[in-house]
Amino acid sequence: MSIWNHLVCKPIMSFVHKKCRNTEVPYLLSDLYRFPVPDEFVKWSKKMDNYAPKEYTDPKNLGKPWMDPEVSSISKWNSIDGKINRKSYVSLYAFDEHLRPINPMGRTGICGRGILGRWGPNHAADPIVTRKNPETSALEFVAIQRKDNGEWAIPGGMVDAGENVSETLKREFSEEAMSGVNVDAKDLKKLWENGRELYRGYVDDPRNTDNAWMETVVVNFHDSENILKNIKLQAGDDAIALRWIELDSDVPLYASHRHFIDLLKNNLHFV
C-alpha cells in the first residue's frame, strides 16, 4: 500500500463510551460484572467516591508471547518501546497509583488488562472492503460474524509487534475473510493501493478496561474494478460466518464498527 487518500483526519468521537461499560452481561470470557458507571461519572476529573472496580486479567493469557509483563518491567510509556507502539492516538495518558496507564476516555467499571495483551493502548487495524452489488448496485461491505459474541464486525485485528499498519490491514483481511483461499497477491495489488483512511483513534470496545483499551486505524478499500468478483471469500477460524452487508442495513455491529460505517456513508462521494 503506497498511496492512501485521507478522507477524515482523526475525527473525535462525540459519544461517551458505552459498550465498555455494559453491566448487563459479564466481562468477555469471565463471570465478572463491571462496576456501574453513570454517564456523568465517566470522566476521571469527576470525583466518584464509591468507585470500586474489580481487578481482572485473564489468567489463561498470562505468559503468552503477546502479553505484556507487569508494569514494573516496562520502562517506556507514551512512546515506541522496542517493537511495541505504546503511543495513544488519543492523547498522552496518565497513570494510576499502581503506575498503570489510565484509559483516557474515562472509567469502564473494571481494571487490569481484561483479555487484552497490552497495558495502555492495544493497536488494531480495520479494513472496510466495499463494492457495488452487481445485481442491485447497492453499496456493501465485507463483514464476519464473531465467535465470541455472535456480532457482525469488520474483519480486522491486532497489529503485531514491529508490524506496519498497512501490512496489518492486508494480513487481517486475508486471515479473517479469505481463509484457505488461494489468491495471487498481484490480483489484489490494485485493491490495496487505493485505501482511504477514515478513522484513527479510540474504540468503544467491550474488551476495554481502566488500564487497557483498544485503538484502531480504519481504512476503506473500494473494489471499483470488481477484483473480488471471482474470488470466493471465506471466514477464518475466529468467525462463524461471512457475508456482504449493505451500508444502509440496520444489522447491529461490534464495538464502534457502526460508527466507522457511518463515517464511510458520510464520505460516499469519494467512492
Side-chain angles (χ1 to χ4, degrees):
M1 183 186 309
S2 58
I3 300 175
W4 284 3
N5 299 313
H6 292 259
L7 297 182
V8 181
C9 183
K10 297 185 180 180
I12 299 173
M13 287 190 176
S14 59
F15 56 85
V16 176
H17 60 176
K18 295 184 180 295
K19 292 191 176 183
C20 59
R21 290 188 290 131
N22 188 355
T23 58
E24 296 181 358
V25 296
Y27 181 84
L28 289 171
L29 307 180
S30 79
D31 56 3
L32 206 65
Y33 284 80
R34 294 179 184 270
F35 189 92
V37 181
D39 287 354
E40 63 268 28
F41 289 104
V42 169
K43 298 289 186 182
W44 294 106
S45 57
K46 184 72 172 180
K47 191 174 182 180
M48 187 177 177
D49 292 329
N50 67 333
Y51 187 56
K54 292 183 179 178
E55 177 91 19
Y56 182 69
T57 296
D58 190 343
K60 296 189 296 296
N61 290 336
L62 295 176
K64 297 288 179 65
W66 43 268
M67 285 286 285
D68 267 345
E70 290 304 309
V71 290
S72 59
S73 301
I74 300 172
S75 58
K76 292 185 178 180
W77 298 104
N78 286 301
S79 62
I80 302 298
D81 180 13
K83 292 185 177 182
I84 301 171
N85 181 10
R86 299 195 187 279
K87 293 181 179 180
S88 169
Y89 297 137
V90 180
S91 64
L92 293 177
Y93 45 84
F95 302 86
D96 64 14
E97 66 274 17
H98 303 293
L99 301 181
R100 302 179 300 188
I102 295 175
N103 189 320
M105 295 298 286
R107 298 180 175 95
T108 67
I110 193 169
C111 55
R113 273 178 290 175
I115 61 173
L116 293 175
R118 306 288 179 206
W119 295 104
N122 288 253
H123 294 295
D126 290 299
I128 304 180
V129 175
T130 54
R131 73 172 185 183
K132 280 190 177 180
N133 184 293
E135 297 180 1
T136 67
S137 293
L139 279 170
E140 303 173 319
F141 67 97
V142 177
I144 58 168
Q145 188 176 23
R146 295 175 62 98
K147 274 185 179 179
D148 55 5
N149 60 9
E151 291 186 310
W152 289 92
I154 299 163
M158 307 304 295
V159 178
D160 289 341
E163 185 177 41
N164 189 292
V165 170
S166 62
E167 292 303 314
T168 308
L169 289 159
K170 293 185 285 187
R171 175 179 58 77
E172 284 295 334
F173 187 81
S174 297
E175 292 177 359
E176 300 290 338
M178 300 175 65
S179 179
V181 179
N182 188 18
V183 181
D184 192 325
K186 295 178 182 177
D187 295 337
L188 295 175
K189 187 173 184 292
K190 197 168 187 64
L191 176 67
W192 299 135
E193 285 178 345
N194 294 310
R196 291 180 289 265
E197 184 172 321
L198 294 171
Y199 179 78
R200 183 181 292 252
Y202 183 83
V203 181
D204 182 24
D205 193 290
R207 292 170 288 186
N208 291 352
T209 73
D210 288 357
N211 308 115
W213 60 91
M214 290 296 302
E215 299 187 8
T216 195
V217 175
V218 181
V219 179
N220 172 226
F221 300 95
H222 184 62
D223 188 11
S224 58
E225 299 188 16
N226 292 321
I227 296 170
L228 298 175
K229 181 179 180 181
N230 297 317
I231 297 176
K232 182 177 174 57
L233 299 181
Q234 183 170 306
D237 293 339
D238 294 335
I240 302 170
L242 177 148
R243 61 186 269 208
W244 289 92
I245 295 179
E246 289 191 13
L247 261 61
D248 289 330
S249 169
D250 59 359
V251 172
L253 299 179
Y254 177 78
S256 297
H257 292 192
R258 173 54 59 191
H259 177 70
F260 302 151
I261 295 302
D262 288 342
L263 281 175
L264 176 58
K265 288 167 65 176
N266 291 334
N267 290 278
L268 288 182
H269 55 287
F270 287 92
V271 174

